[in-house]
Amino acid sequence: MTKDKVLVIGSSGQIGVELTLALRKIYGNNNVVASDLREENELLKGTGPYVSIDVMNKEMLHVQIIRQNITQIYLLAAILSATGEKNPGLAWHLNMQGLLNVLDIAREENIQKVYWPSSIAVFGPTSPKQNCPQQTIIEPTTVYGISKYAGEFWCNYYNIKYGVDVRSLRYPGLISYKSAPGGGTTDYAVEIFHDALEEKKYRSFLTEDTYLPMMYMPDAIRATIELMEAPAEKISVRTSYNVAALSFSPKEIGNEIKKHIPDFEMEYEPDYRQEIASSWPQSIDDSVARNDWGWKPEFDLASMTADMLANLAPAK
């Protein structure tokens, strides 16, 4: 049996850093190759191999996958929702072509498994706002959402047509203390903790009652790995699985932080990201993921808030 060799593309991003570290615990440091166009993240330095890879350069990517004897690929490189609206053409090109390059190479080299994240951004104003189901009306209004929805069907196509074992999750907003957010509409839920500790106040770019699906990074990493480790016959969805954990508003998370920092204050100054947030569901139905491979979140708003503040406070 060949030993698993895992390639993480986009390892210096918000998800990539923590996912790479988690995979190294499972497969061994030397069997997980981190890669990015950016400089290697400080948290990854010295923990295992790192190579500079441009996912848009298919030939270079192909050479590295053969050279490193890669058996699994995690493709995390993407331009996110808020950043994507500033440069729609680039966001579409990177998000689509990067995925197609990886899927093509996976087919040619018989890569065992591919992971590619989708997002709640696939949903649009016409999708149900409450408990948005796995299969529903999907009419995204951001280039990020459009690229993720198209990507889901490319994944499904490569699975049906070529037998590529590609798996995906529709991530909600992700909250982490280890790495900075990457230009998404849900970034406020990370920024708020830093500002609460440093300034005792936060100016939200979303209104106080804007509910969005969220997830604490430890749950997101666990969901990703549990999906990838599930037997292939349990995977019924080859587009992308809904996953859910938390759903809260800026006012609610502000009140939770106040329990720990009593003089914390909130201000509201909605900007262009409000329109993006308003187009997304407020909560997600993830019963298919729960039934297929046993997904279940561990953190609620109170435990996540306490853990975030405990981990950020010493550094401030």
Side-chain angles (χ1 to χ4, degrees), residues 107-234:
R107 174 176 63 94
E108 289 173 36
E109 300 301 331
N110 292 315
I111 298 296
Q112 286 171 17
K113 279 186 271 193
V114 175
Y115 179 77
W116 174 80
S118 188
S119 162
I120 59 164
V122 298
F123 301 115
T126 52
S127 304
K129 290 289 180 209
Q130 306 297 336
N131 293 317
C132 189
Q134 177 68 46
Q135 292 181 301
T136 186
I137 296 167
I138 294 186
E139 295 178 333
T141 53
T142 64
V143 69
Y144 180 63
I146 295 164
S147 71
K148 286 298 183 186
Y149 195 41
E152 288 187 10
F153 283 93
W154 277 117
C155 291
N156 193 52
Y157 180 84
Y158 270 75
N159 176 257
I160 294 167
K161 188 99 172 169
Y162 307 117
V164 177
D165 186 352
V166 57
R167 306 178 184 195
S168 179
L169 298 174
R170 288 172 180 156
Y171 287 129
L174 298 179
I175 301 165
S176 166
Y177 60 85
K178 285 188 182 173
S179 48
T185 303
T186 54
D187 286 358
Y188 90 85
V190 179
E191 294 170 358
I192 192 170
F193 288 101
H194 292 272
D195 285 14
L197 288 163
E198 290 168 5
E199 317 284 342
K200 300 278 194 293
K201 64 172 187 265
Y202 179 67
R203 182 174 291 161
S204 171
F205 54 74
L206 300 178
T207 60
E208 66 173 31
D209 57 351
T210 302
Y211 281 82
L212 285 171
M214 299 279 188
M215 187 177 284
Y216 196 29
M217 191 62 83
D219 273 341
I221 300 301
R222 194 169 50 79
T224 306
I225 290 169
E226 284 177 5
L227 169 71
M228 288 296 276
E229 290 190 339
E233 61 270 15
K234 292 208 163 186

Side-chain angles (χ1 to χ4, degrees), residues 10-316:
S11 63
S12 291
Q14 189 191 17
I15 302 165
V17 172
E18 298 192 46
L19 185 58
T20 301
L21 293 170
L23 289 168
R24 283 178 173 165
K25 281 184 182 168
I26 295 167
Y27 293 105
N29 288 351
N30 292 328
N31 295 318
V32 179
V33 180
S35 72
D36 209 303
L37 260 184
R38 288 179 280 185
E39 210 173 301
E40 185 177 15
N41 187 283
E42 285 298 321
L43 293 170
L44 295 180
K45 284 182 178 173
T47 67
Y50 179 85
V51 291
S52 179
I53 290 181
D54 180 0
V55 73
M56 304 300 280
N57 186 333
K58 190 178 177 184
E59 288 72 27
M60 185 176 87
L61 178 63
H62 202 155
V63 166
Q64 282 290 351
I65 285 168
I66 294 169
R67 184 180 290 163
Q68 305 278 354
N69 296 311
I70 297 300
T71 62
Q72 288 188 43
I73 302 171
Y74 287 72
L75 171 58
L76 306 173
I79 292 176
L80 303 186
S81 58
T83 309
E85 290 308 289
K86 294 174 183 173
N87 196 335
L90 178 65
W92 170 261
H93 185 52
L94 177 78
N95 294 354
M96 278 294 88
Q97 197 57 53
L99 173 61
L100 288 170
N101 287 349
V102 167
L103 290 174
D104 256 352
I105 296 166
R107 174 176 63 94
E108 289 173 36
E109 300 301 331
N110 292 315
I111 298 296
Q112 286 171 17
K113 279 186 271 193
V114 175
Y115 179 77
W116 174 80
S118 188
S119 162
I120 59 164
V122 298
F123 301 115
T126 52
S127 304
K129 290 289 180 209
Q130 306 297 336
N131 293 317
C132 189
Q134 177 68 46
Q135 292 181 301
T136 186
I137 296 167
I138 294 186
E139 295 178 333
T141 53
T142 64
V143 69
Y144 180 63
I146 295 164
S147 71
K148 286 298 183 186
Y149 195 41
E152 288 187 10
F153 283 93
W154 277 117
C155 291
N156 193 52
Y157 180 84
Y158 270 75
N159 176 257
I160 294 167
K161 188 99 172 169
Y162 307 117
V164 177
D165 186 352
V166 57
R167 306 178 184 195
S168 179
L169 298 174
R170 288 172 180 156
Y171 287 129
L174 298 179
I175 301 165
S176 166
Y177 60 85
K178 285 188 182 173
S179 48
T185 303
T186 54
D187 286 358
Y188 90 85
V190 179
E191 294 170 358
I192 192 170
F193 288 101
H194 292 272
D195 285 14
L197 288 163
E198 290 168 5
E199 317 284 342
K200 300 278 194 293
K201 64 172 187 265
Y202 179 67
R203 182 174 291 161
S204 171
F205 54 74
L206 300 178
T207 60
E208 66 173 31
D209 57 351
T210 302
Y211 281 82
L212 285 171
M214 299 279 188
M215 187 177 284
Y216 196 29
M217 191 62 83
D219 273 341
I221 300 301
R222 194 169 50 79
T224 306
I225 290 169
E226 284 177 5
L227 169 71
M228 288 296 276
E229 290 190 339
E233 61 270 15
K234 292 208 163 186
I235 308 300
S236 71
V237 175
R238 291 294 182 170
T239 48
S240 191
Y241 277 100
N242 279 5
V243 282
L246 312 164
S247 188
F248 56 78
S249 64
K251 185 178 182 179
E252 283 183 352
I253 193 173
N255 288 341
E256 197 61 44
I257 289 170
K258 261 179 108 68
K259 293 176 186 176
H260 301 266
I261 305 171
D263 49 350
F264 174 64
E265 291 175 11
M266 289 282 287
E267 295 173 358
Y268 299 92
E269 199 174 290
D271 65 14
Y272 70 99
R273 288 167 284 195
Q274 181 63 48
E275 190 179 346
I276 299 174
S278 298
S279 75
W280 292 347
Q282 297 178 357
S283 58
I284 300 289
D285 176 357
D286 61 359
S287 52
V288 179
R290 290 172 185 253
N291 292 334
D292 280 7
W293 43 275
W295 162 243
K296 194 179 175 194
E298 288 179 357
F299 285 88
D300 60 12
L301 180 57
S303 57
M304 182 270 292
T305 301
D307 199 60
M308 278 290 286
L309 291 170
N311 280 286
L312 285 172
K316 301 297 171 212

